Amino acid sequence: DLHSNLNMLKELLAVLLCLMSSVADIQKTSVSTCASQGSSYYYDVPSLTCSQCTTNQIPSIDKQQCVCSANAIASYTSWTASSGPSLQCTVCTGGTFPTKVQQTCIACGTTASSTTSLNLSAAIISATCIAYGPSSVVSGVCTCPVGYILTDFNATGALANNEGKLCLLCPFNTYVDSTNPYRCMPCSDEKMRRDSTGRCSCPSGYVEDSVLAAGSSASDASLVGIHVCVDQSVVQGQSFALGSFAQQKYYDVVDAGGAITSSVVVDRSLPFAAYYVASVARCKATRHTPSCQALANLCALTLFSSDHPTCQAYQDITKTVLQSSINGFKGWYLAMPWLFYEQTTQEVLFATGINRGVALSGGNSMLNLTLTTYALNGTYLGQQDVTTQLQLCPGDVRDLTRYQRIGSNYILNCRLDLMSIALSYPEPTFYELWLSDPTATDGSARASGPSLYPVPVIISNYRKSDGTTPNKFLADSPSLQLDTTYSGLGNIVPHRRFFLYDNIGGRKVPDPAKTSSTTQTQLQDMTVVRWASYMELRIQLRKDDPSTSIDESQKIYPPYLLIRYQQQVGSTISLSIPKLGASDESMRLPMVSFRATYCMDLSNFWYITMILFILLVIFMVISCGFKAFVHKQSLGIYPMQSEILFMDCCGTLADFFFWGLIVMCGYWFIFFKLQGVVKVLLPLDNPNSAFAAVFSICLVAKFAQVCMLIRHQSKVDIFFMDWEKPKEGKLRQVAKLQPSPTTNEEGQDVSVWRTIMIANEWAEMQSQRHTDIDFTLMFVLLFLVGLDYLYLSTPQPDVVDLSPGPTNAVLRFFVIAMWYFTVVVIQMVYRKFTYHFMDDPLDMFVDLCQLANISVFVLDGPIHGFYLHGRSVHPHADVNMHQLLANHKAETEGNLPFRGLTEQGDERLRGNTDLYFEMYLTESVRTGFDEKFPRDVIGVNARPVGRGPPLVGGRDAPNNAAASAADSALDVRAKAYNAVNEYLQKEVIEPIQARGDTDIRLPSWYHRLFGVPPPLVGQSTVFLRDNQQRFSHVLFYGIELELVILDLLMLAAWDLASGDAFVAALITYIISHGLCVLRERMGKENIARKTLIDPRFLI
């Protein structure tokens, strides 16, 4: 008719309006808050809102639902298109009153005598009657008829001495306790009545859930179900097979020895056997809230398996109502728990319904989360502000809640005792996670308090009916950042409810035949135990929309909670606690992890970084090409040296990448740690893949460069030119007895000890550095560990907070580099000061060369090298003390020429050096040097550095033949030494000295900056004044920066690898000193080969 059509139209209109509505505010409230609004208000658990009871209804005792008033009876309407079964209350009239369960109205009854005796066949007792009857003695024990309890007192309350023990009839909805015949026990359901056998049974039209659950196995009725009455019309036609609905299947289960079993089936699972039938029937019949919540909990225990009867029953119930967008969220059905999203994953994870902003101070600086909690049986436990509930690891609550500060990435790992979970922990609690949003749509604070926004839960173990696990990749790739363009986004399946551990789903219905309860038997009953081994709370900032006036980057998308559960066979849990590091440690104490990650869309950053990286590579290639060009120019007609070219390329690559790393890491440190407004968040992967790749390449390239530099420095051609002239009229006795090649034609010779002294000083100076690695590492450790500055690298946006915690690799590298360079710079500034006002070791060496009358000739290339002029202005350097002091006095008084190659004073030199020179020789000079230095002489000095056999005489002196051969070799070497010494003096230095400014020039600006050689290299010998002490490049002094960078990279690499700054410093110390020892030893061997000095004189 017209009236029914209008009602149907109204219902459809309501459904359409609901579907078209936007997300509504879910007020953060509680039971007490709703009760304070008025006596007719209650807290509606399924919708998490305050509602008002209608006519003839009042809130229940727990204020979570409506019940009929004391004078009314209850009935439920059937499901409609827009609502579930609603409670209807009808007032009893005509002098009738509701029964206790408020199902019907009856009269009050009549009054009878208190002494009325009752026999066993009495069926109806007046409401005001108190019935007594005599007891009987059976087998020496006082017993009563069925339904009666023993009592020792009469009607007046006095001890029944005269009457004897009496029998008192229990109320019809109670039964006699089998263990205590003096006590009446209430039936498990108010609808139940005691039958003639003394058991509680359901009235007509109802059936006990235990009977349905047990099925044909009547003996199981006492072991399954929760013993409540369910409407028989609701369950009519349904099949409840205990082997089906009580079966729980676990996948990827850890078994004995750590092996993974693909699946383990638990038959007669305790919670399913207990709650399934009652939950399905009562939820379907009257939307009984605890039953519906219990059904949702059972579905969550299966990880929302669509193949399990619990989830199928939930889906079947929700399909009967079309109102599926409670508070604007699709999938949230009226009067039902919310388990599944029916929106697309993009709509869920990238919704813009959260109004709150993010900040580093004030109210928006904390991520306030709320949990709605439920017991396994569906009881609503209330709302809780999140503190430590999401973490299985114990600890200080201040540390465990650090992740709730905006921008603070957090990770906590610990080992969980499975024995405690299996045997000591209570039943699991089920949670729904919400974000508290205190901000209205216009940006102002909500006057009514914060609202709740649902946080989706993504379970990586979720398995679809086809066996696929669409969420697994998220847990397998924790550094993966989702965005709207990700191709696999639509495959992700989010849910609402979760738990931290499951110590009951894998437990079987207890076997009454088993009486022992040892730990071993309890573990055997616990077939499988499950726990959340990995949990991550992911919070992502929104992208700013330039077309709007609002800065959306200060808001967040809905956070999501990622959970990976792990399961293990209960009988494999070790009874004893294993030793630390034992192979079976994880079988009793598995590792669990909780992480909180704040992220943002970094696509623009990586786009700019890629452009800068391309530019860096372009400039690096240009630099390599330019160095190759300079190297080729310095060779003249000689071919390119591939080793030098490769060394230069490695050095260029390492330097560009290193400073690029410093800039990138410095950006993250400065803009993340020092930001006042949330604008920059760290990348998800730690260490970042780009950082790790560039760092690794940089470390390998720098190490290769330094190794090749050491090899190159240890191969240079070096010669110590002795300018000393023989003293007239003074013959050495040894020359008379045994002439040698060092004796001139007149029988006079020159002492070689000055040359040996300079050679030893040069050998010692080869491996010395401007900075002290011991000092550097000691103070770096002081800053990093002693003063806790290492915790500047924790991933939280506060440079003042030095609280211990996991660090970020990018920030950690920058912090180490910052303090390392701080210590190095302090040393270099100190060295610069002392060199300027006190002693420069390089200047001191050249001064020593002047005293010894020895010049140093070094060739680090075919025609390129350095010359340190040590020719003394005094007639002789090999003099006694008196003459030495006299020489210096004459020089001080200006009675001698100026020191230097051109003997020019400071006024003419104008600050330029006259002692250090960079040489570019001609091919003919190089050829003459090689001719005077025959290669067969080099092998003569092949003896290792150190103590050797006696030079002359002694017990171990060689025989005559061997001595003769050795003397011949010595003569050859001595002649070669004199020949080279004379050649360099006569053919190289003295001609240059004679030509003066023609061949001795100042370096050009491009030579000072880039090392570009002068024009016409190889056609004429050119000396450039080495004002920059470039000759130190053949020593460790000249590659100090390369060594510092290598030490820093080594320290950072071992620190990131070991996580221990002390271990990293120790390894760096060993490597650095090892390189110094290697350089010193190879350098001494090279000096012995190239200067023709016996290696045994190098100490």
Side-chain angles (χ1 to χ4, degrees), residues 773-845:
I773 186 65
D774 302 2
F775 180 90
T776 302
L777 293 176
M778 180 178 65
F779 276 90
V780 167
L781 286 177
L782 171 65
F783 288 124
L784 294 180
V785 182
L787 300 179
D788 286 338
Y789 286 135
L790 184 63
Y791 295 116
L792 285 172
S793 57
T794 54
Q796 42 82 21
D798 187 355
V799 76
V800 180
D801 187 1
L802 297 179
S803 302
T807 58
N808 179 271
V810 173
L811 300 181
R812 189 173 180 124
F813 171 75
F814 183 79
V815 170
I816 292 174
M818 177 177 65
W819 290 113
Y820 196 94
F821 276 124
T822 298
V823 177
V824 167
V825 169
I826 291 174
Q827 291 184 79
M828 293 302 294
V829 170
Y830 171 77
R831 296 291 188 190
K832 189 70 174 178
F833 176 82
T834 56
Y835 290 171
H836 183 76
F837 293 101
M838 299 179 188
D839 299 320
D840 185 337
L842 299 177
D843 289 338
M844 290 176 62
F845 175 76

Side-chain angles (χ1 to χ4, degrees), residues 97-117:
F97 301 90
T99 59
K100 183 179 180 181
V101 295
Q102 294 183 300
Q103 286 188 332
T104 186
C105 296
I106 60 174
C108 187
T110 58
T111 302
S113 172
S114 62
T115 59
T116 303
S117 61

Side-chain angles (χ1 to χ4, degrees), residues 26 43 69 184 207 221 238 339 363 365 425 512 593 606 708 716 733 752-753 776 879 919 923 950 1005 1038 1085 1087 1091:
I26 306 172
Y43 184 67
S69 57
C184 296
V207 62
Q238 286 188 272
L339 295 184
S365 64
Y425 279 33
S593 176
W606 292 121
M708 286 186 289
V716 298
Q733 296 300 321
V752 76
W753 289 108
T776 302
V879 296
M919 301 184 300
E923 181 187 1
W1005 65 269
E1085 292 178 354
I1087 291 174
T1091 63

Side-chain angles (χ1 to χ4, degrees), residues 248-250 253-255 263-270 422-423 502-509 514 520-531 567-573:
Q248 169 72 311
K249 192 172 185 179
Y250 294 86
V253 183
V254 179
D255 210 331
S263 64
V264 172
V265 177
V266 180
D267 294 319
R268 300 165 62 91
S269 173
L270 182 59
L423 303 182
D502 172 17
N503 59 1
I504 193 161
R507 190 184 299 275
K508 295 182 179 181
V509 174
K514 292 183 179 180
Q520 185 65 41
T521 57
Q522 292 182 57
L523 287 178
Q524 289 175 354
D525 291 338
M526 175 69 71
T527 305
V528 176
V529 61
R530 171 181 276 167
W531 68 97
Q567 37 280 323
Q568 181 175 328
V569 175
S571 59
T572 64
I573 300 175

Side-chain angles (χ1 to χ4, degrees), residues 540-554:
Q540 182 170 343
L541 295 184
R542 290 168 55 181
K543 292 183 65 174
D544 184 31
D545 186 358
S547 63
T548 65
S549 58
I550 301 175
D551 186 4
E552 286 86 2
S553 66
Q554 295 298 298

